[in-house]
Amino acid sequence: MDRQQLCRLDALPDPGSKACVIAGERGPEEIFLVRRGAAVFAYRNQCPHTGGPLDWVPDQFLDLDKRHIQCATHDARFRIEDGFCLVGPCAGRSLAAVAVGVESGWVWLEPGAGK
């Protein structure tokens, strides 16, 4: 699969988050992006505890302080940089990372990332 353009970097708040749909192995799959400065991190929108989505409100994946990713269902908190769960029912587990990059002001899904 070729690289897929996801969104303009300036359309992603800093810090902030945004959901995107990619072409996965079994069809469309929702991921989310989190921006912190010039860095962008991406994860599948799937809590390791229940398998359900992390957001209740579209594009809101961060806690109120915007320091951690938060699961809206069970209040689990994950590090932005690596998706590791710090507290909550899935403590010690991690979100499934998705490979993205930033180039020429765009956030790109890297080849093979939807597999």
Side-chain angles (χ1 to χ4, degrees):
M1 170 173 62
D2 293 330
R3 288 191 333 163
Q4 179 182 342
Q5 207 172 50
L6 297 175
C7 73
R8 291 210 38 89
L9 181 61
D10 59 12
L12 192 55
D14 178 20
S17 56
K18 178 177 180 47
C20 298
V21 176
I22 63 168
E25 278 187 332
R26 292 175 237 125
E29 181 178 350
E30 187 171 307
I31 66 168
F32 65 96
L33 309 172
V34 178
R35 179 177 179 188
R36 180 175 275 173
V40 177
F41 306 90
Y43 300 97
R44 286 186 166 80
N45 187 9
Q46 187 174 29
C47 180
H49 175 226
T50 64
L54 280 84
D55 59 328
W56 278 348
V57 176
D59 298 329
Q60 291 188 18
F61 294 89
L62 301 179
D63 62 7
L64 293 176
D65 296 333
K66 299 187 182 209
R67 293 181 47 215
H68 298 103
I69 298 165
Q70 178 179 5
C71 177
T73 304
H74 296 103
D75 200 30
R77 305 291 171 105
F78 304 85
R79 283 191 301 233
I80 291 172
E81 298 80 11
D82 60 7
F84 182 79
C85 185
L86 301 165
V87 291
C90 49
R93 296 174 66 191
S94 295
L95 298 171
V98 177
V100 296
V102 177
E103 184 180 315
S104 301
W106 285 89
V107 180
W108 295 86
L109 178 71
E110 296 297 334
K115 294 185 178 192

